[in-house]
Amino acid sequence: DGDNYKELFGALDNAFLVAYAIGMFIRRLPLRYYLSGGMVLSGLFTALFGLGYFWDIHVLWYFIVVQVCNGLVQTTGWPSVVACVGNWFGKGKRGLIMGVWNSHTSVGNILGSLIAGVWVSSAWGLSFVVPGIIIAAMGIVCFFFLVEYPEDVGCSPPLHHVITSNEGPLSISGQSSANRSDGPKEPAEEPEAISFLGALRIPGVVEFSLCLLFAKLVSYTFLYWLPLYIVNVAHFSAKEAGDLSTLFDVGGILGGIFAGLISDYSGGRATTCCVMLVIAAPMLFLYNHVGQNGIGTSIAMLIVCGALVNGPYALITTAVSADLGTHESLKGNAKALSTVTAIIDGTGSVGAALGPLLAGLISPTGWNNVFYMLIAADVLACLLLARVVVKEVRGWCGYMARKRGSSVQLTESVLDGK
């Protein structure tokens, strides 16, 4: 209840997000144990944060230590789940499939906001204890039922891409399609996990990682500061602001699916991200200036901004990570997918840590300056993808030129009577 409450909130958010970013680069255990153990520990530390209310703890360091521990153990989540889904689905409709699947993050944000809103004005400790119990219980479910690889239950692995040879098409594992489908396979020697530097050499990893840094900066600033912004600017109650802020995540669901669908059909992951980021910048400016002029305008602007901000973020952390983690240069190293995902999301988490921290420092000077910072981050995210976008556009131009050349040759052959 002091005048410096914004700075204190910023310190708590930053403690969690810095620990999360650091934890992303720690070597991982087998996915099922890593994920389920992390979920149970996440539940423990989340509950401990809420128990500070019931234990009447008013020491800031207690909450910061709990946030750091929580940030470290929650790094078990994203690389594990992206790797598992990437193991099951090939590249064909990966953007759409992962766009739909990725909606779980926004659903979780919505449920988290609604659960927190129930007790935020009464016993706020329950806003942390209840979600902690939920994630710990689901961690136990994952331990008993998660299947990491299709081969573990007798299913054929997906084709991430096709490599041609003199003996016919081969899968990424180097086995012919006939060999893959006929009977059980002898266990092959598992490749070693790819090194950090080896993952950075994969084309596109550096660009998408740095782009995600700024895209996640914008997304997490909204996630942490949007309810407070709505309270201060639109003068809603804390519960109403929490409920209204969930519309940003509703837009995120639509944006993630739309981005995945467009990138599947166009084949341009980077171009899709870049276009959405370019449109997002003026939309953020409009939301700050006209977004609070009536409840209808606020709802529409929140959904549109959520779609444009979270669409590229969702695409990079799912389909793009899976594409890069199954790059043909890896020669079927399934363990590389988790490493690449961790590098991309870990770099993005640096932005996620910076965003709320900068918002806490800038907000006392006015919310306009916070939005200018977010717009600048969007523009930088777009610029960092310029090289990949140019490469995709050249690929499209080359394809169209070859297509026109084939059409001309066919026409000439018909006219010549061949």
Side-chain angles (χ1 to χ4, degrees):
D1 58 355
D3 294 336
N4 64 336
Y5 71 96
K6 291 182 181 180
E7 288 80 3
L8 297 180
F9 276 136
L12 287 175
D13 295 341
N14 200 52
F16 173 87
L17 292 167
V18 168
Y20 185 86
I22 293 172
M24 274 292 176
F25 300 101
I26 298 175
R27 184 172 292 275
R28 359 203 77 71
L29 300 170
L31 292 183
R32 185 165 66 93
Y33 301 107
Y34 190 69
L35 178 61
S36 56
M39 293 175 72
V40 171
L41 289 174
S42 295
L44 171 65
F45 290 118
T46 303
L48 283 174
F49 193 98
L51 288 173
Y53 169 83
F54 299 102
W55 294 340
D56 200 28
I57 296 175
H58 297 278
V59 180
L60 181 63
W61 281 107
Y62 169 82
F63 296 102
I64 288 181
V65 169
V66 171
Q67 284 285 74
V68 169
C69 294
N70 208 348
L72 288 172
V73 298
Q74 287 204 26
T75 60
T76 59
W78 196 246
S80 301
V81 294
V82 172
C84 285
V85 176
N87 290 337
W88 277 87
F89 295 101
K91 194 174 181 179
K93 296 294 181 183
R94 180 178 280 162
L96 175 60
I97 290 170
M98 285 196 155
V100 174
W101 169 77
N102 184 66
S103 65
H104 72 267
T105 58
S106 295
V107 172
N109 289 341
I110 292 170
L111 289 176
S113 296
L114 294 177
I115 291 173
V118 173
W119 294 288
V120 68
S121 300
S122 54
W124 64 260
L126 291 174
S127 298
F128 292 86
V129 173
V130 173
I133 293 172
I134 292 172
I135 191 173
M138 293 310 300
I140 295 172
V141 171
C142 281
F143 179 80
F144 286 106
F145 296 104
L146 178 67
V147 180
E148 293 182 33
Y149 301 99
E151 301 92 318
D152 293 343
V153 287
C155 296
S156 299
L159 282 172
H160 296 296
H161 47 77
V162 175
I163 303 173
T164 58
S165 74
N166 295 332
E167 299 176 359
L170 301 178
S171 72
I172 189 170
S173 62
Q175 296 171 306
S176 68
S177 56
N179 290 340
R180 285 191 301 107
S181 58
D182 294 343
K185 299 179 287 291
E186 293 183 4
E189 182 181 351
E190 288 195 9
E192 294 182 2
I194 190 172
S195 67
F196 181 85
L197 291 177
L200 289 178
R201 293 191 189 101
I202 299 172
V205 168
V206 173
E207 288 93 338
F208 279 108
S209 296
L210 294 175
C211 172
L212 185 63
L213 187 151
F214 291 102
K216 211 167 180 180
L217 183 153
V218 178
S219 180
Y220 270 65
T221 301
F222 268 93
L223 178 66
Y224 281 88
W225 287 90
L226 183 58
L228 186 61
Y229 171 78
I230 294 173
V231 168
N232 288 344
V233 176
H235 307 295
F236 286 101
S237 69
K239 186 180 185 308
E240 290 171 338
D243 293 342
L244 194 61
S245 68
T246 60
L247 293 172
F248 186 80
D249 287 296
V250 172
I253 295 174
L254 300 175
I257 296 173
F258 182 75
L261 186 63
I262 295 299
S263 68
D264 277 343
Y265 278 99
S266 66
R269 307 281 197 213
T271 306
T272 302
C273 291
C274 199
V275 170
M276 296 184 78
L277 289 167
V278 167
I279 302 173
M283 287 297 108
L284 292 175
F285 180 84
L286 283 176
Y287 174 68
N288 184 42
H289 284 81
V290 304
Q292 307 304 327
N293 297 344
I295 188 69
T297 304
S298 183
I299 290 172
M301 291 299 296
L302 280 172
I303 293 175
V304 171
C305 289
L308 294 172
V309 168
N310 285 338
Y313 162 34
L315 184 63
I316 293 172
T317 55
T318 56
V320 170
S321 295
D323 288 348
L324 297 175
T326 54
H327 193 268
E328 58 186 9
S329 65
L330 298 173
K331 300 178 181 179
N333 187 347
K335 292 183 177 181
L337 178 52
S338 179
T339 303
V340 170
T341 303
I343 289 174
I344 293 176
D345 199 46
T347 306
S349 297
V350 175
L354 287 174
L357 175 64
L358 291 174
L361 296 174
I362 297 173
S363 57
T365 68
W367 287 104
N368 285 344
N369 294 331
V370 174
F371 274 85
Y372 293 146
M373 180 267 291
L374 297 178
I375 292 170
D378 250 336
V379 173
L380 286 171
C382 182
L383 292 175
L384 285 163
L385 285 182
R387 189 190 70 85
V388 186
V389 170
V390 169
K391 183 179 178 181
E392 289 179 351
V393 171
R394 284 178 176 172
W396 291 330
C397 293
Y399 171 76
M400 294 303 295
R402 290 192 299 272
K403 193 173 181 181
R404 284 196 300 270
S406 299
S407 300
V408 170
Q409 289 178 354
L410 179 61
T411 303
E412 291 176 348
S413 298
V414 172
L415 292 175
D416 292 341
K418 295 180 180 178

